[in-house]
Amino acid sequence: MKWSNFSYNDAQKIIKKLDLKRTPANSHDEVYWYYLDGKRELRIILPNNHAGTLSPGFIGNIKKNLKLETRQFERLVDCHLSADGFAAHVRDLLAD
Amino acid sequence: MSNAVVVDSLYESSGIFAPIQMQDVRHAQYPWFFPVSESVRPVIPDKAPSQRTTTIRDLASRKYQLNKALEITVEECYDPHEIVACYSEVEAFGRGNTEAEALHNLKIDIRNLFEELSQDDSGNLGKLPTKWLRILGTLISEV
């Protein structure tokens, strides 16, 4: 997958893969938390419906929320980057 | 020799490619002799996102106020068109069809984030959310 083709369905894949927890929000997007070792670590804003293509700015923000470079982000959606691999990546970042 | 061919030969001799419309006309008339070359068609690049900064001085709330103005990044994206606004210090985000809508959604997101983090007494906040709460705690106060 090319990052610019990221869709609502890809967002659903990420939610499932990383076991993201949804939080109630008053916005028109959904807010999720990524937990690592029982602690809230990353906050990710994802689309809440199938409506249309996502803008590059919105997809870029999702990448930033997940602390991933473009290639890593594509690998996460394409299943090459596993949940354990992602956890290790976040651990490394937080250790810095 | 027709006038069109004379004009075309002038274009070619001057090193300027013939206008696209003229090529299309020639192609329509003599497709076996004037294939339309893709190489001379203009390539219109995708419009690159434009980015700028602005400030917000309130959170559109009767409950909370900002202690100081926040510097916000606003990005206009194309295909599809959308404005996104970010306050990167706490990774807050808003989007909309207009800048006003994106900034309003950003304000809502900042309020939501602050309320959510300040109400969390489980001790389960990680490194980044703890930092965000500290930042927001200095920026936001109740009215």
Side-chain angles (χ1 to χ4, degrees), chain A residues 1-93:
Chain A
M1 183 214 73
K2 200 166 176 292
W3 75 273
S4 52
N5 295 332
F6 185 82
S7 65
Y8 172 82
N9 290 337
D10 295 321
Q12 296 306 303
K13 265 199 258 179
I14 289 182
I15 293 166
K16 203 169 170 187
K17 185 174 191 175
L18 301 181
D19 193 22
L20 302 180
K21 307 286 185 227
R22 192 178 148 198
T23 190
N26 301 323
S27 67
H28 63 284
D29 294 316
E30 303 283 5
V31 178
Y32 290 86
W33 285 95
Y34 174 69
Y35 281 73
L36 184 65
D37 303 328
K39 285 184 181 280
R40 291 182 199 213
E41 294 292 356
L42 304 180
R43 183 172 182 263
I44 302 113
I45 298 176
L46 293 170
N48 69 353
N49 59 45
H50 296 266
T53 314
L54 303 177
S55 76
F58 188 25
I59 302 170
N61 192 66
I62 297 169
K63 264 195 306 182
K64 262 192 258 173
N65 288 165
L66 289 165
K67 312 287 176 211
L68 294 174
E69 300 294 332
T70 298
R71 188 75 194 101
Q72 294 168 316
F73 182 65
E74 290 170 347
R75 282 166 50 84
L76 179 70
V77 178
D78 285 342
C79 297
H80 300 300
L81 178 60
S82 67
D84 288 342
F86 180 76
H89 169 74
V90 176
R91 265 198 196 91
D92 281 353
L93 278 175

Side-chain angles (χ1 to χ4, degrees), chain B residues 16-116:
Chain B
I16 304 168
F17 289 114
I20 295 302
Q21 297 89 331
M22 192 174 289
Q23 287 187 26
D24 289 345
V25 169
R26 290 187 313 185
H27 174 72
Q29 288 176 335
Y30 316 104
W32 63 92
F33 199 70
F34 291 112
V36 173
S37 165
E38 287 300 322
S39 63
V40 296
R41 287 191 174 277
V43 177
I44 301 166
D46 291 339
K47 258 182 143 178
S50 61
Q51 211 176 65
R52 65 185 193 84
T53 56
T54 187
T55 52
I56 56 170
R57 295 168 203 285
D58 66 81
L59 289 178
S61 163
R62 289 183 186 156
K63 193 175 174 190
Y64 298 110
Q65 65 184 13
L66 281 175
N67 300 327
K68 68 167 196 170
L70 307 183
E71 190 166 290
I72 304 301
T73 306
V74 177
E75 190 178 352
E76 183 166 10
C77 307
Y78 303 93
D79 196 24
H81 180 264
E82 188 171 58
I83 311 286
V84 300
C86 300
Y87 181 53
S88 52
E89 291 292 307
V90 298
E91 297 183 20
F93 171 84
R95 63 186 180 124
N97 294 324
T98 62
E99 184 172 327
E101 190 183 341
L103 289 174
H104 182 74
N105 287 329
L106 173 68
K107 290 174 184 181
I108 294 173
D109 194 46
I110 293 172
R111 273 174 7 216
N112 286 345
L113 177 62
F114 178 62
E115 285 190 336
E116 191 179 2

